Amino acid sequence: MKIVLLGAPGVGKGTQAAVLSKRLNILVISTGNILREALKSGSDMGKKAKSFIDQGQLVPDEVVTGIVKEKISQDDCKNGYILDGFPRTISQAEALRDMHIKIDKVIDINVSDSVIYERMTGRRVCMSCGSTYNINTAGRRPKVDNTCDKCADTLVKRTDDSKETVKHRLEVYRNQTEPLVNYYKETGKLVIINGERPPEEITEKILEEIRN
Ligand code: ADP
């Protein structure tokens, strides 16, 4: 099973990807997470990506396409995977098509701009294990302020979740990523999901669509 998760920043792609990964027993390939790891480790790729990420811009297509190409060729991707945050441009979608990958479903999670804005500015991430929380959403807050429920390390705000950068990331999404909705509509694989319902309901709806 190979799934693409589409949707603006902050619609809950990461949260859904983690749950779906367990339910379907397939890996998540999150280009955002891979880039953030590269940034932390100070690798050449991390250095290259840093200024783009901090400014809320997209990292160049060839960098992310290279990441995905390498990842999907590994043994642990044999059963399939969930692409979270890739493709994000038409050119990335074309690169994926040219890799001769048969995508089963493309899930577009839809959320209104005002909700996205609130979610992104409230998002907090654990410095150690990467678990995410949201101080603006009931049921997604940590039990103890600023502390990870799972590993007790400190929660931080992603540097690209500041108000200004969020605004820019949404513009980038509208201009560069949203055209993918039409691109995938034509393939007949697109499913649009209302992302403003409770996360558990969204997961069930996605699973239902996948099984169809
Ligand atoms: P979100 O979906 O909340 O924006 P991600 O973690 O997916 O967060 O991405 C964070 C940043 O990483 C993006 O703003 C962008 O700079 C970079 N990035 C991630 N995936 C891609 C991609 N497919 N193409 C270009 N840049 C990407």
Side-chain angles (χ1 to χ4, degrees):
M1 176 67 64
K2 299 187 181 92
I3 300 169
V4 167
L5 286 185
L6 269 186
V11 298
K13 292 191 298 291
T15 309
Q16 290 302 329
V19 180
L20 290 169
S21 161
K22 284 203 193 109
R23 297 279 294 267
L24 298 166
N25 197 23
I26 50 179
L27 280 188
V28 178
I29 303 177
S30 157
T31 41
N33 283 346
I34 295 173
L35 289 167
R36 273 186 294 280
E37 283 300 318
L39 222 114
K40 250 205 259 175
S41 76
S43 70
D44 281 351
M45 182 171 75
K47 283 182 196 142
K48 240 198 245 170
K50 185 174 174 16
S51 62
F52 294 102
I53 296 177
D54 285 350
Q55 289 168 35
Q57 283 170 3
L58 294 184
V59 172
D61 286 334
E62 59 278 14
V63 176
V64 279
T65 302
I67 292 175
V68 171
K69 214 177 221 170
E70 193 198 316
K71 195 77 199 140
I72 61 179
S73 67
Q74 289 168 5
D75 263 4
D76 53 2
C77 282
K78 269 203 316 252
N79 288 337
Y81 38 81
I82 301 165
L83 288 171
D84 165 16
F86 181 94
R88 245 176 162 100
T89 63
I90 294 280
S91 141
Q92 291 176 19
E94 287 171 350
L96 187 64
R97 181 199 60 200
D98 294 344
M99 288 175 215
H100 304 291
I101 301 298
K102 190 189 152 286
I103 299 294
D104 297 285
K105 288 275 179 210
V106 178
I107 313 287
D108 178 37
I109 306 179
N110 239 298
V111 172
S112 64
D113 271 9
S114 56
V115 173
I116 287 178
Y117 203 70
E118 205 177 276
R119 286 194 193 166
M120 287 173 78
T121 46
R123 177 156 67 183
R124 298 292 182 273
V125 187
C126 173
M127 280 172 64
S128 300
C129 73
S131 298
T132 58
Y133 299 85
N134 204 304
I135 59 167
N136 292 338
T137 315
R140 298 263 297 127
R141 297 186 185 106
K143 294 199 177 86
V144 180
D145 277 359
N146 290 320
T147 309
C148 180
D149 290 355
K150 291 184 190 137
C151 70
D153 208 341
T154 311
L155 303 183
V156 291
K157 194 167 169 162
R158 260 168 55 176
T159 50
D160 59 344
D161 277 347
S162 67
K163 268 192 189 154
E164 263 318 295
T165 317
V166 164
K167 199 166 151 262
H168 188 61
R169 283 163 67 199
L170 282 176
E171 281 165 15
V172 168
Y173 172 77
R174 297 283 170 237
N175 293 332
Q176 304 196 53
T177 309
E178 213 166 48
L180 287 177
V181 174
N182 272 332
Y183 177 93
Y184 281 118
K185 211 178 257 169
E186 282 165 19
T187 66
K189 294 188 177 143
L190 183 77
V191 177
I192 296 176
I193 302 276
N194 174 2
E196 292 190 21
R197 294 185 316 197
E200 303 76 32
E201 258 182 54
I202 298 176
T203 308
E204 292 312 320
K205 185 83 192 134
I206 295 176
L207 287 169
E208 193 187 306
E209 293 287 352
I210 286 172
R211 284 169 189 145
N212 267 340

